Amino acid sequence: MKRFLFIPALCFAFITYAQEKIDVDAIGKIKKEGLENSQVEQIAFELIDKAGPRLSNSAGYERAAQYAINQLTEWGLENAQKEEWGEFGRGWEVNKSYVAMTKPYYMPFIAIPKAWTESTDGPVSGKVVFVEINNEEDFEKYRGKLKGAIVAFKPRGDQSPTFKADALRYTEEDLNEMAEPRTERRQWTEDEIAAFRKRREFSNTLNTFLTEEGVALIIKGVNGKHGTLFTSSPRGYRMDTPEGASELEMAPEHVNLMARLTANGVEVEVEAEVKTTFNTEDLQGYNVVAEIPGSDPDLKDEIVMLGGHLDSWHGGTGATDNGAGCIVMMEAVRILQTTGLQPKRTVRIALWGGEEQGIFGSRNYVKNHFGDSETMALKPEHSKVSAYYNIDNGTGRIRGIYLQGNEKVGPIFEEWFKPYEDIMENTTITLRNTGGTDHLGFDAIGIPGFQFIQDPVEYWSRTHHTNMDTYERLVIDDLKQIATIVAGFVYNTAMREEMLPREERETESTD
């Protein structure tokens, strides 16, 4: 049974927890709007089902961006727009993708064109040739033998049955462990880095070889199981990327089937067609930004930011990565607008582009507006940002927050979580850093940037960069909880007498 907390009107608008003022009446309004009148389902439909996959610089990304701009404007936010962050590269679309085994019997296969892959030369069909190339010496076994061939690579990993749940909630023990500082942080060794670079270089060399040999199609078995396949490794999206062979990333079970048949002397044939198009007219990358202007003349030039990345991979519709983050951040600003609360500082939402290819949208936004993390040369607006809040760990409900080593904000957040104890449990505030997403650019130049701790649900097992990242993978009640808590944190940050405390950094100011 769900328990919603509604705070009755009090004689005093504020109560104080450990010297931190909390507007209980305002938080009550936020909770009531977010939990009783939520619009996360409608936002989810528009961003996920209607816009479709949102690969960077694709038509789907453009549809989602335009929806967000129109919706944020309709809610009353100001300056809603697409903002260039710099050159990204070519746009790319899948127009057709089909593959099936036709011999020894007919079977349709699950496969996704590799991002930014070229088209096949019309429909192709023929015998599947399994190749095993682990080093450049192996090229000689196949040189001159692959022209027009459909070549396949077996998957790695284990596709056998699993005996634990795909969907997980953090236990109390998990959260207690996360609250403890890491005794030792795993670092990549120089040998590991060198080995990674060598593998990447060899992968490029292999693709060049196969293209020069004139293969008709590449089929690669990728990580996954039970019909879920992980597809996120792109061909080049830059304008100077050389043309390559068309490539499909296929469910490992289907590649294994063809491999077993072939190994036992049974000839395997497939038919396939891949049609893709490239957009080279606009190479710029874009973020979506909008604002709720601050109501206090003395504080409105200070900023509280919140966001998530709008781009996704193309195998599914990007529901949990990171439609969920954009849904709840849009819902959070809607809550603030609908309740009529007037934050003293300006609230700025940002929906980032290019995250999946290297956190480009947010890092370049930070560089363009606030400062360069490489030189630590800072711009005047750097001093005006109180905090940035990010969501990018799927659909799971908030269970706490990572402080990114900013010890001073811990007691503040502890008090801010207290009004939400009825919709949270085992709240964890940890000094640990977490990486891989858009708060990093802010943190790198000393702006307090935070990622919330979320239940993993199916993020790592089923949805992160997969063909199954669809609307059905969203937990709607979890999204309501996230949006409600984020709205409260943003509001509290915008209403504090002072900006949130920062870690000390060596910086250089610039005009």
Side-chain angles (χ1 to χ4, degrees), residues 166-335:
D166 287 337
L168 302 172
R169 297 281 191 191
Y170 282 130
T171 65
E172 183 176 355
E173 291 74 21
D174 293 332
L175 293 168
N176 288 340
E177 192 277 331
M178 293 172 69
E180 295 296 325
R182 286 192 178 97
T183 56
E184 178 176 312
R185 189 171 182 83
R186 173 75 165 87
Q187 298 289 339
W188 285 71
T189 66
E190 291 185 6
D191 288 345
E192 288 172 329
I193 294 172
F196 171 78
R197 289 174 176 167
K198 186 176 181 179
R199 288 194 300 271
R200 184 172 59 184
E201 291 171 4
F202 180 74
S203 177
N204 292 334
T205 303
L206 174 59
N207 286 334
T208 299
F209 171 77
L210 295 173
T211 301
E212 291 175 347
E213 290 296 301
V215 303
L217 177 67
I218 301 169
I219 295 174
K220 281 191 177 178
V222 294
N223 185 34
K225 59 178 63 179
H226 310 311
T228 296
L229 63 93
F230 292 78
T231 172
S232 61
S233 177
R235 274 188 45 74
Y237 45 84
R238 301 292 189 185
M239 277 297 293
D240 60 357
T241 301
E243 187 173 342
S246 184
E247 184 171 334
L248 287 170
E249 297 181 308
M250 186 175 285
E253 294 91 342
H254 287 154
V255 181
N256 287 337
L257 168 63
M258 294 191 294
R260 288 192 299 271
L261 289 167
T262 300
N264 285 278
V266 180
E267 189 169 290
V268 174
E269 293 185 3
V270 300
E271 61 182 16
E273 185 175 12
V274 177
K275 289 184 180 180
T276 64
T277 54
F278 292 88
N279 172 22
T280 59
E281 294 179 3
D282 186 357
L283 302 180
Q284 297 303 300
Y286 295 91
N287 302 315
V288 173
V289 293
E291 293 181 337
I292 301 174
S295 62
D296 188 321
D298 297 326
L299 296 178
K300 65 181 182 180
D301 63 338
E302 295 180 358
I303 306 165
V304 183
M305 291 193 67
L306 68 161
H309 69 87
L310 188 59
D311 65 304
S312 73
W313 286 106
H314 61 298
T317 48
T320 70
D321 188 25
N322 183 33
C326 295
I327 293 162
V328 298
M329 294 315 198
M330 289 183 67
E331 172 70 356
V333 295
R334 185 200 70 81
I335 290 170

Side-chain angles (χ1 to χ4, degrees), residues 129-146 151 153 156 202 205-206 209-210 213:
V129 178
F130 276 88
V131 299
E132 187 172 349
I133 301 177
N134 299 312
N135 52 58
E136 294 193 27
E137 287 74 24
D138 290 336
F139 290 153
E140 296 309 314
K141 295 186 293 185
Y142 302 99
R143 196 177 300 277
K145 302 177 182 178
L146 298 178
V151 301
F153 292 83
R156 298 177 180 177
F202 180 74
T205 303
L206 174 59
F209 171 77
L210 295 173
E213 290 296 301

